[in-house]
Amino acid sequence: MKKLLFVLALFTALGASAQNMRLNAYALYAFDDAVDSYYSNTSYFDGKIKGGLLWGGGLEFMVHPEYGVELTYLRMDTKAPVTYYSNQPPAGVKNNTFDLAINYAMIGGNRYKALGDVAEVFGGMQLGAAFVKATRPASGSLIGESSENATKFAWAVRGGANLFPGGKASKVGIKLTLGLISMVQGAGGGLYFGTGGAGAGISTYSSILQFNMGGGLVFKFGK
């Protein structure tokens, strides 16, 4: 609760001092990423986080014409086909496809440079958290559906351009972005690839690292 109040107070102060605000809408494609970890021949996994739509929005406070501070939310629903060794009977190598729901909540800064009246380029970095739910679908009548949740540290870097066809006085623009987003130690036996609930999987991890590209819209408010 104290952390939430601190964040709200911070953004209230930023909003009071900002010359204007922006609402950014994102629709990106995140590419596949391989994940694997090997501890022994009975403690390993090898799989892939499938690519898919990464969507969301951001509230950005322009504390200076060339600098913005943005609070961003992004979500991705995807699948992870994985091969791993299970100690549960019948023990052996198994293959499963897990359903993943990943929510990112991040804060960071953007640096802008105007290119005439109709465009500006930008770059920035963000830090935050990834909230993950991994679900193993039911397998026949013997093994029911199971799921686990985890919170992991996340970071992102990105760059791109905003285009304002009506000139810099336009209130709506087109956003083009290219970036990299990572969930540190996000994929592991205990989180995603266990075979019967918490503690059933292995204890090693593999970070998720996905390139993304796409676009969206930017809406200007204020001066």
Side-chain angles (χ1 to χ4, degrees), residues 5-49:
L5 291 175
F6 173 77
V7 172
L8 291 175
L10 173 61
F11 272 84
T12 300
L14 288 171
S17 63
Q19 294 183 12
N20 56 65
M21 293 185 295
R22 295 183 178 187
L23 180 62
N24 300 311
Y26 298 101
L28 312 169
Y29 182 82
F31 293 87
D32 293 356
D33 181 48
V35 291
D36 62 82
S37 183
Y38 184 87
Y39 183 75
S40 72
N41 59 0
T42 59
S43 184
Y44 71 89
F45 67 86
D46 184 10
K48 180 183 292 185
I49 308 299

Side-chain angles (χ1 to χ4, degrees), residues 8-198:
L8 291 175
L10 173 61
F11 272 84
T12 300
L14 288 171
S17 63
Q19 294 183 12
N20 56 65
M21 293 185 295
R22 295 183 178 187
L23 180 62
N24 300 311
Y26 298 101
L28 312 169
Y29 182 82
F31 293 87
D32 293 356
D33 181 48
V35 291
D36 62 82
S37 183
Y38 184 87
Y39 183 75
S40 72
N41 59 0
T42 59
S43 184
Y44 71 89
F45 67 86
D46 184 10
K48 180 183 292 185
I49 308 299
K50 300 292 288 183
L53 177 65
L54 182 66
W55 61 272
L59 182 61
E60 185 174 9
F61 297 93
M62 301 300 295
V63 296
H64 184 275
E66 295 183 350
Y67 298 95
V69 178
E70 184 177 4
L71 179 64
T72 306
Y73 166 80
L74 295 170
R75 180 180 174 92
M76 183 177 182
D77 294 283
T78 187
K79 295 184 180 294
V82 181
T83 299
Y84 58 93
Y85 186 91
S86 171
N87 289 316
Q88 291 192 347
V93 178
K94 299 190 184 301
N95 296 280
N96 252 318
T97 297
F98 295 81
D99 296 323
L100 300 183
I102 308 173
N103 295 278
Y104 293 97
M106 311 186 80
I107 185 172
N110 297 312
R111 171 74 161 86
Y112 292 91
K113 182 175 178 59
L115 298 178
D117 290 336
V118 298
E120 61 185 15
V121 293
F122 67 88
M125 181 174 183
Q126 295 184 307
L127 302 175
F131 306 93
V132 190
K133 181 177 181 181
T135 303
R136 185 197 60 198
S139 178
S141 59
L142 298 178
I143 303 178
E145 180 180 284
S146 64
S147 62
E148 294 189 30
N149 297 276
T151 301
K152 296 292 181 179
F153 172 73
W155 61 267
V157 292
R158 61 186 179 177
N162 293 329
L163 307 177
F164 300 99
K168 62 181 180 180
S170 299
K171 294 297 184 180
V172 180
I174 300 170
K175 181 179 290 289
L176 305 174
T177 67
L178 177 66
L180 181 66
I181 192 166
S182 176
M183 187 196 314
V184 179
Q185 291 190 339
L191 171 59
Y192 296 149
F193 312 136
T195 58

